[in-house]
Amino acid sequence: MQWQDHAIILGVKRHGETSVIAEVMTRDRGRHLGLVRSGRSRAMQPVLQAGNAVEVIWRARLDEHLGEFRVEPVTLRAARLMETATAVYGVQAMGALLRLLPERDPHPHLFDALEVILDHLHNPADAGELFVRFELAVLNDLGFGLDLAECAATGARSDLAYVSPKSGRAVSRAAGAPWADKMLLLPPFLSIEGNHAADFDSLSAAFRLTGFFLHRHVYEPRGIEAVAARDGFVQAALKALNPTLRTLSGLDGVSA
């Protein structure tokens, strides 16, 4: 069996003396593993870095086998991704999110989103907003999507200010006012009216929002914790928007 696809390197694991098992996100075949012979060579090591875009050819006798990759470089962005904290942590955190999905399960929209985000990780404001949207997309593909289009109580599509922690649905400012202290804030840039770029406060609220539902629906039921890279990304993105902030430990729930 054989196929060819566009892919982004998520990580590698040593295999034997000279080879590696590469983990990639492909556009049409989802997250996929494959053996790369001589993957630890001087020629291949720079190619097999997380974040690089490659073309892969996969071969195996049977579909259920691990198979072998032949890898050709397309866009080698890994060196640039090492220049900022948001990029370093962002690549790792998005890889961890994709590992929540079944292997070999196609998610072409997530592949496309990943490519876009990888090219914007150097800009903390853009990176933070795109990362939150990526988390929302992963939640949706796992079957836990949030409904942020209209108020759960009234059906209104304007002045949406909250998200119900129970239903994951948006709530208008008026309808949610009596229970505001029990609601999650809906950042303006995530509402259907949102024409504002993310700032420190709205991005903090967005990280709390996605972190809450990832913990409730994904991490806690599976008995796992969010990877440390998410905390690192959250702190780097927020600190870039507020350079005077020395620590984010007081922002309860931001990295929950």
Side-chain angles (χ1 to χ4, degrees):
M1 302 191 64
Q2 177 175 313
W3 52 257
Q4 182 172 347
D5 203 352
H6 300 296
I8 295 170
I9 303 293
L10 299 181
V12 298
K13 183 187 298 184
R14 291 179 57 174
H15 184 81
E17 293 297 321
T18 61
S19 300
V20 300
I21 294 175
E23 181 183 31
V24 303
M25 182 64 180
T26 66
R27 191 180 193 286
D28 298 325
R29 292 167 177 81
R31 185 173 58 86
H32 211 290
L33 302 177
L35 177 71
V36 181
R37 297 194 183 278
S38 299
R40 297 177 60 202
S41 67
R42 287 187 177 181
M44 290 305 301
Q45 282 188 9
V47 177
L48 298 175
Q49 297 295 313
N52 284 343
V54 296
E55 192 78 10
V56 296
I57 297 175
W58 180 82
R59 293 190 181 95
R61 190 170 64 85
L62 297 175
D63 184 62
E64 59 266 26
H65 288 176
L66 172 65
E68 294 185 16
F69 280 145
R70 195 179 83 190
V71 181
E72 295 294 336
V74 175
T75 305
L76 301 184
R77 56 169 73 90
R80 179 166 53 84
L81 292 173
M82 297 296 292
E83 295 175 356
T84 63
T86 49
V88 170
Y89 289 122
V91 172
Q92 298 174 49
M94 287 189 292
L97 285 168
L98 292 171
R99 292 183 187 103
L100 298 172
L101 300 165
E103 189 183 348
R104 304 189 181 190
D105 192 14
H107 297 270
H109 59 291
L110 290 181
F111 175 89
D112 293 339
L114 180 62
E115 280 221 298
V116 171
I117 299 172
L118 288 171
D119 288 330
H120 289 81
L121 282 176
H122 62 283
N123 184 319
D126 290 345
E129 181 173 340
L130 289 170
F131 182 85
V132 165
R133 295 184 184 279
F134 191 77
E135 288 189 315
L136 289 171
V138 171
L139 274 168
N140 187 67
D141 282 20
L142 288 170
F144 305 111
L146 307 188
D147 182 356
L148 306 180
E150 63 180 30
C151 176
T154 66
R157 298 175 66 87
S158 61
D159 200 24
L160 303 177
Y162 307 105
V163 177
S164 167
K166 292 184 178 180
S167 67
R169 298 183 63 188
V171 180
S172 69
R173 193 178 309 278
W179 302 278
D181 60 334
K182 301 182 186 302
M183 294 282 187
L184 294 162
L185 293 178
L186 175 60
F189 72 85
L190 289 181
S191 73
I192 59 174
E193 300 176 294
N195 294 317
H196 303 286
D199 57 17
F200 180 86
D201 290 335
S202 63
L203 196 56
S204 298
F207 285 133
R208 289 189 181 98
L209 179 69
T210 53
F212 176 85
F213 286 104
L214 281 166
H215 178 74
R216 166 179 280 187
H217 294 306
V218 183
Y219 299 135
E220 189 173 44
R222 299 187 186 192
I224 60 177
E225 297 287 337
V227 295
R230 184 184 191 269
D231 291 347
F233 177 83
V234 167
Q235 294 195 32
L238 292 178
K239 191 170 183 179
L241 294 176
N242 187 354
T244 63
L245 192 68
R246 294 191 175 184
T247 176
L248 302 174
S249 59
L251 294 171
D252 295 337
V254 167
S255 57

